[in-house]
Tab-separated table of all heavy atoms in Angstrom:
chain	number	residue	atom	x	y	z
A	1	GLN	N	5.933	-10.577	11.745
A	1	GLN	CA	5.367	-11.929	11.751
A	1	GLN	C	4.858	-12.369	10.384
A	1	GLN	O	4.174	-13.384	10.280
A	1	GLN	CB	4.248	-12.005	12.790
A	1	GLN	CG	4.752	-11.803	14.209
A	1	GLN	CD	3.636	-11.902	15.236
A	1	GLN	OE1	2.900	-12.887	15.287
A	1	GLN	NE2	3.493	-10.883	16.056
A	2	GLY	N	5.190	-11.602	9.348
A	2	GLY	CA	4.912	-12.066	7.993
A	2	GLY	C	3.707	-11.472	7.298
A	2	GLY	O	3.325	-11.947	6.226
A	3	ALA	N	3.095	-10.449	7.887
A	3	ALA	CA	1.943	-9.840	7.220
A	3	ALA	C	2.330	-9.299	5.849
A	3	ALA	O	3.394	-8.699	5.684
A	3	ALA	CB	1.370	-8.714	8.080
A	4	HIS	N	1.456	-9.518	4.881
A	4	HIS	CA	1.690	-8.999	3.528
A	4	HIS	C	1.270	-7.539	3.439
A	4	HIS	O	1.950	-6.723	2.810
A	4	HIS	CB	0.905	-9.834	2.521
A	4	HIS	CG	0.952	-9.300	1.120
A	4	HIS	ND1	2.131	-9.155	0.418
A	4	HIS	CD2	-0.051	-8.865	0.300
A	4	HIS	CE1	1.868	-8.660	-0.784
A	4	HIS	NE2	0.556	-8.464	-0.879
A	5	ARG	N	0.148	-7.213	4.083
A	5	ARG	CA	-0.352	-5.837	4.120
A	5	ARG	C	-0.822	-5.524	5.524
A	5	ARG	O	-1.386	-6.388	6.210
A	5	ARG	CB	-1.535	-5.653	3.162
A	5	ARG	CG	-1.240	-5.882	1.704
A	5	ARG	CD	-2.541	-5.868	0.898
A	5	ARG	NE	-3.220	-4.572	0.919
A	5	ARG	CZ	-4.487	-4.396	0.537
A	5	ARG	NH1	-5.222	-5.425	0.138
A	5	ARG	NH2	-5.030	-3.186	0.550
A	6	VAL	N	-0.628	-4.273	5.941
A	6	VAL	CA	-1.166	-3.791	7.205
A	6	VAL	C	-1.958	-2.523	6.920
A	6	VAL	O	-1.451	-1.603	6.271
A	6	VAL	CB	-0.059	-3.501	8.240
A	6	VAL	CG1	-0.667	-2.910	9.514
A	6	VAL	CG2	0.725	-4.769	8.572
A	7	ILE	N	-3.191	-2.497	7.377
A	7	ILE	CA	-4.053	-1.321	7.235
A	7	ILE	C	-4.227	-0.715	8.618
A	7	ILE	O	-4.731	-1.375	9.535
A	7	ILE	CB	-5.419	-1.694	6.640
A	7	ILE	CG1	-5.245	-2.400	5.290
A	7	ILE	CG2	-6.302	-0.452	6.480
A	7	ILE	CD1	-6.516	-3.043	4.755
A	8	ALA	N	-3.798	0.527	8.784
A	8	ALA	CA	-3.869	1.197	10.082
A	8	ALA	C	-4.995	2.223	10.065
A	8	ALA	O	-5.106	3.010	9.129
A	8	ALA	CB	-2.541	1.870	10.392
A	9	ILE	N	-5.816	2.212	11.124
A	9	ILE	CA	-6.984	3.083	11.178
A	9	ILE	C	-6.905	3.978	12.410
A	9	ILE	O	-6.654	3.501	13.526
A	9	ILE	CB	-8.289	2.253	11.244
A	9	ILE	CG1	-8.351	1.240	10.093
A	9	ILE	CG2	-9.507	3.182	11.212
A	9	ILE	CD1	-7.911	-0.161	10.438
A	10	ASP	N	-7.114	5.277	12.203
A	10	ASP	CA	-7.095	6.242	13.301
A	10	ASP	C	-7.813	7.502	12.818
A	10	ASP	O	-8.144	7.611	11.634
A	10	ASP	CB	-5.660	6.553	13.732
A	10	ASP	CG	-5.563	7.091	15.155
A	10	ASP	OD1	-5.957	8.253	15.383
A	10	ASP	OD2	-5.080	6.361	16.041
A	11	GLY	N	-8.024	8.453	13.721
A	11	GLY	CA	-8.646	9.709	13.339
A	11	GLY	C	-7.713	10.892	13.428
A	11	GLY	O	-8.142	12.034	13.243
A	12	HIS	N	-6.415	10.621	13.693
A	12	HIS	CA	-5.424	11.684	13.844
A	12	HIS	C	-4.384	11.571	12.734
A	12	HIS	O	-3.692	10.553	12.623
A	12	HIS	CB	-4.749	11.597	15.212
A	12	HIS	CG	-5.697	11.834	16.359
A	12	HIS	ND1	-5.918	13.076	16.891
A	12	HIS	CD2	-6.503	10.981	17.039
A	12	HIS	CE1	-6.801	12.990	17.870
A	12	HIS	NE2	-7.180	11.720	17.978
A	13	ALA	N	-4.265	12.622	11.940
A	13	ALA	CA	-3.399	12.585	10.763
A	13	ALA	C	-1.940	12.339	11.117
A	13	ALA	O	-1.230	11.633	10.395
A	13	ALA	CB	-3.538	13.897	9.983
A	14	ASP	N	-1.461	12.921	12.224
A	14	ASP	CA	-0.051	12.759	12.582
A	14	ASP	C	0.267	11.305	12.939
A	14	ASP	O	1.338	10.793	12.606
A	14	ASP	CB	0.336	13.698	13.725
A	14	ASP	CG	-0.479	13.476	14.979
A	14	ASP	OD1	-1.699	13.257	14.867
A	14	ASP	OD2	0.091	13.539	16.085
A	15	ARG	N	-0.658	10.637	13.582
A	15	ARG	CA	-0.439	9.234	13.932
A	15	ARG	C	-0.469	8.340	12.681
A	15	ARG	O	0.317	7.397	12.560
A	15	ARG	CB	-1.491	8.784	14.945
A	15	ARG	CG	-1.396	9.549	16.257
A	15	ARG	CD	-2.354	9.038	17.312
A	15	ARG	NE	-2.151	9.742	18.572
A	15	ARG	CZ	-2.545	9.294	19.763
A	15	ARG	NH1	-3.182	8.140	19.833
A	15	ARG	NH2	-2.314	9.987	20.850
A	16	LEU	N	-1.365	8.664	11.766
A	16	LEU	CA	-1.427	7.902	10.524
A	16	LEU	C	-0.172	8.113	9.690
A	16	LEU	O	0.295	7.187	9.007
A	16	LEU	CB	-2.672	8.310	9.731
A	16	LEU	CG	-3.997	7.888	10.376
A	16	LEU	CD1	-5.174	8.552	9.677
A	16	LEU	CD2	-4.153	6.369	10.345
A	17	GLU	N	0.388	9.293	9.752
A	17	GLU	CA	1.641	9.545	9.036
A	17	GLU	C	2.757	8.641	9.561
A	17	GLU	O	3.563	8.111	8.796
A	17	GLU	CB	2.034	11.018	9.194
A	17	GLU	CG	3.281	11.416	8.420
A	17	GLU	CD	3.615	12.893	8.572
A	17	GLU	OE1	2.776	13.650	9.106
A	17	GLU	OE2	4.712	13.282	8.147
A	18	ARG	N	2.796	8.462	10.872
A	18	ARG	CA	3.780	7.554	11.475
A	18	ARG	C	3.558	6.123	10.997
A	18	ARG	O	4.517	5.395	10.723
A	18	ARG	CB	3.656	7.609	12.998
A	18	ARG	CG	4.136	8.898	13.617
A	18	ARG	CD	5.577	8.783	14.027
A	18	ARG	NE	6.058	10.005	14.652
A	18	ARG	CZ	7.158	10.059	15.374
A	18	ARG	NH1	7.888	8.975	15.560
A	18	ARG	NH2	7.553	11.204	15.890
A	19	ALA	N	2.299	5.714	10.929
A	19	ALA	CA	1.985	4.358	10.478
A	19	ALA	C	2.425	4.143	9.034
A	19	ALA	O	2.953	3.079	8.682
A	19	ALA	CB	0.489	4.092	10.633
A	20	ARG	N	2.206	5.156	8.189
A	20	ARG	CA	2.651	5.046	6.793
A	20	ARG	C	4.165	4.914	6.708
A	20	ARG	O	4.686	4.166	5.874
A	20	ARG	CB	2.179	6.257	5.989
A	20	ARG	CG	0.712	6.205	5.582
A	20	ARG	CD	0.368	7.250	4.535
A	20	ARG	NE	0.525	8.606	5.052
A	20	ARG	CZ	-0.430	9.266	5.704
A	20	ARG	NH1	-1.599	8.686	5.931
A	20	ARG	NH2	-0.221	10.498	6.124
A	21	ALA	N	4.870	5.630	7.573
A	21	ALA	CA	6.336	5.547	7.574
A	21	ALA	C	6.814	4.143	7.937
A	21	ALA	O	7.924	3.741	7.553
A	21	ALA	CB	6.914	6.566	8.555
A	22	LEU	N	5.975	3.393	8.655
A	22	LEU	CA	6.310	2.019	9.028
A	22	LEU	C	5.850	1.012	7.978
A	22	LEU	O	6.023	-0.188	8.148
A	22	LEU	CB	5.686	1.673	10.379
A	22	LEU	CG	6.215	2.469	11.581
A	22	LEU	CD1	5.385	2.176	12.821
A	22	LEU	CD2	7.688	2.159	11.836
A	23	GLY	N	5.229	1.501	6.895
A	23	GLY	CA	4.833	0.626	5.794
A	23	GLY	C	3.361	0.306	5.701
A	23	GLY	O	2.947	-0.464	4.832
A	24	ALA	N	2.543	0.887	6.583
A	24	ALA	CA	1.112	0.571	6.578
A	24	ALA	C	0.358	1.418	5.569
A	24	ALA	O	0.745	2.550	5.261
A	24	ALA	CB	0.532	0.783	7.967
A	25	GLU	N	-0.737	0.863	5.070
A	25	GLU	CA	-1.750	1.654	4.382
A	25	GLU	C	-2.642	2.256	5.472
A	25	GLU	O	-2.775	1.660	6.547
A	25	GLU	CB	-2.568	0.758	3.451
A	25	GLU	CG	-1.716	0.050	2.404
A	25	GLU	CD	-2.442	-1.115	1.771
A	25	GLU	OE1	-3.506	-0.892	1.153
A	25	GLU	OE2	-1.961	-2.253	1.917
A	26	THR	N	-3.236	3.397	5.207
A	26	THR	CA	-3.948	4.071	6.295
A	26	THR	C	-5.366	4.473	5.921
A	26	THR	O	-5.676	4.727	4.756
A	26	THR	CB	-3.179	5.328	6.755
A	26	THR	OG1	-3.008	6.222	5.650
A	26	THR	CG2	-1.814	4.956	7.319
A	27	VAL	N	-6.210	4.538	6.955
A	27	VAL	CA	-7.593	4.998	6.828
A	27	VAL	C	-7.845	5.995	7.952
A	27	VAL	O	-7.652	5.664	9.133
A	27	VAL	CB	-8.594	3.831	6.934
A	27	VAL	CG1	-10.025	4.359	6.979
A	27	VAL	CG2	-8.418	2.856	5.778
A	28	ASN	N	-8.277	7.193	7.602
A	28	ASN	CA	-8.619	8.225	8.584
A	28	ASN	C	-10.141	8.237	8.741
A	28	ASN	O	-10.862	8.634	7.831
A	28	ASN	CB	-8.119	9.591	8.129
A	28	ASN	CG	-8.288	10.667	9.192
A	28	ASN	OD1	-9.189	10.615	10.017
A	28	ASN	ND2	-7.406	11.664	9.159
A	29	PHE	N	-10.627	7.811	9.917
A	29	PHE	CA	-12.085	7.708	10.073
A	29	PHE	C	-12.765	9.065	10.210
A	29	PHE	O	-14.002	9.131	10.260
A	29	PHE	CB	-12.471	6.780	11.230
A	29	PHE	CG	-12.035	7.220	12.610
A	29	PHE	CD1	-12.592	8.326	13.229
A	29	PHE	CD2	-11.085	6.481	13.301
A	29	PHE	CE1	-12.219	8.698	14.508
A	29	PHE	CE2	-10.698	6.855	14.581
A	29	PHE	CZ	-11.270	7.964	15.184
A	30	ASN	N	-11.987	10.151	10.255
A	30	ASN	CA	-12.571	11.486	10.210
A	30	ASN	C	-12.651	12.029	8.782
A	30	ASN	O	-13.100	13.164	8.580
A	30	ASN	CB	-11.779	12.447	11.091
A	30	ASN	CG	-12.181	12.351	12.553
A	30	ASN	OD1	-13.371	12.344	12.878
A	30	ASN	ND2	-11.201	12.253	13.437
A	31	GLU	N	-12.203	11.230	7.822
A	31	GLU	CA	-12.253	11.642	6.425
A	31	GLU	C	-13.043	10.678	5.548
A	31	GLU	O	-13.503	11.049	4.469
A	31	GLU	CB	-10.824	11.782	5.870
A	31	GLU	CG	-10.031	12.899	6.543
A	31	GLU	CD	-8.622	13.019	5.989
A	31	GLU	OE1	-8.228	12.162	5.148
A	31	GLU	OE2	-7.903	13.949	6.381
A	32	GLU	N	-13.186	9.434	5.991
A	32	GLU	CA	-13.927	8.443	5.224
A	32	GLU	C	-14.507	7.402	6.175
A	32	GLU	O	-14.036	7.232	7.297
A	32	GLU	CB	-13.025	7.773	4.181
A	32	GLU	CG	-11.761	7.153	4.749
A	32	GLU	CD	-10.827	6.663	3.666
A	32	GLU	OE1	-11.306	6.256	2.584
A	32	GLU	OE2	-9.607	6.685	3.888
C-alpha cells in the first residue's frame, strides 16, 4: 500500500528474521 518504511517489533528473533526478509526494519523488545 505504499509504505516507505516498515518497523516490525517482536520478542522472538526467528520471527524478526522473517520480517527482515520481507524488507522491514526490526526491534526486539527483549534486547532494547
